[in-house]
Amino acid sequence: MTRQDRIAALHAAAKKRILVLDGSWGVMIQRRELSEEDFRGDRFTAHNGQMKGNNDILCITRPDVIADLHDQYFAAGADISETNTFSATVIAQDDYQLDAQSVWDINLEGAKLARAAADRWTEKEPHKPRFAAGSIGPLNKMLSMSSDVNDPGARLVTFDQVYDAYRHQVKALNEGGVHLYLIETITDTLNCKAAIKAIKDLEDEGLEPLPIWISGTITDRSGRTLSGQTAEAFWNSVRHAKPFAVGFNCALGADLMRPFIAELSRVADTLVAAYPNAGLPNAMGQYDEEPHETAHFIEEWAASGLVNIVGGCCGTTPDHIRHTAEAVSKLPTREIPERPVAMRLSGLEPFELVA
């Protein structure tokens, strides 16, 4: 089966049922209690500075750990598993003093691991094809917000630098074989736009086109992203990319995320995806929400016709995904609404002028 055949299968599956994404990678990697030597492997034994905590580097130094996590999530019922490349850009990896070639290799190997796992499970269960999503994270530097409270115009990066970083990542993920891109945990829509432009420009230059899934982050009960946009304004900002799916993840548990998913479900004329945290963290930064509790909230979303794709973010485990997959397995997928032709603008608030 070619990659385009698998992408066609992805679109077909999304029309028939609610798809399930995997859960948290950070919590599962932490449970392995890996050492500094695990993170360094043979390649980075002489590297300056601490490497422990750089989970993405495990794609190179402990591929067995990453492959096992893909298998655990697919075994739990996930249709889609992400590459372990959330922070694999030259900008984010500069914190660990990694060069561009090492960053490229993280993305390439991460994509190969996810694709190989998806292929294994598809061969084992051809009635339920599996898919590898290339994880493209938000960066640790923002284009829309100042880095200095005394200087509103201060920025640590330029648009061109962010664009180039995402372009580098996207090319490696594509070469590694992912079936779709997941631009996720978006706190700054302008960073997201740089990623979208990088993808679209590469396609214009001949790179094989893949579906794009865009997932923002509502940071608190105000219902806005960190850069200030409401759910509808966020959608208006990215709908030009004609994404395969749009949604929210992280920051909130499912109970607090619901109204914002409902709003996006109302306005988005594409698939809506949501993967919340396992509740809010406790005083120790741990997540206490049990798998059946998370699944209960998501089941209600599905029963209310709000979602096409679900999964888990911070604090969720294969058990959370297993309960979620079982909870939504018999429920119909959301119907995509037909929206009237209108001029829709974003800003921080949405603006709509119907013809």
Side-chain angles (χ1 to χ4, degrees), residues 58-121:
L58 298 172
C59 294
I60 297 173
T61 59
R62 287 298 304 271
D64 58 311
V65 171
I66 304 308
D68 176 63
L69 288 176
H70 285 302
D71 283 337
Q72 286 191 48
Y73 279 121
F74 282 139
D79 299 283
I80 305 167
S81 188
E82 299 181 58
T83 57
N84 182 46
T85 57
F86 183 83
S87 300
T89 57
V90 291
I91 291 174
Q93 288 295 322
D94 185 56
D95 286 353
Y96 294 96
Q97 304 175 51
L98 285 188
D99 60 17
Q101 184 60 55
S102 297
V103 175
W104 174 276
D105 292 344
I106 290 172
N107 285 287
L108 183 67
E109 296 307 316
K112 287 180 177 179
L113 289 166
R115 174 63 182 271
D119 287 350
R120 285 195 305 274
W121 281 90

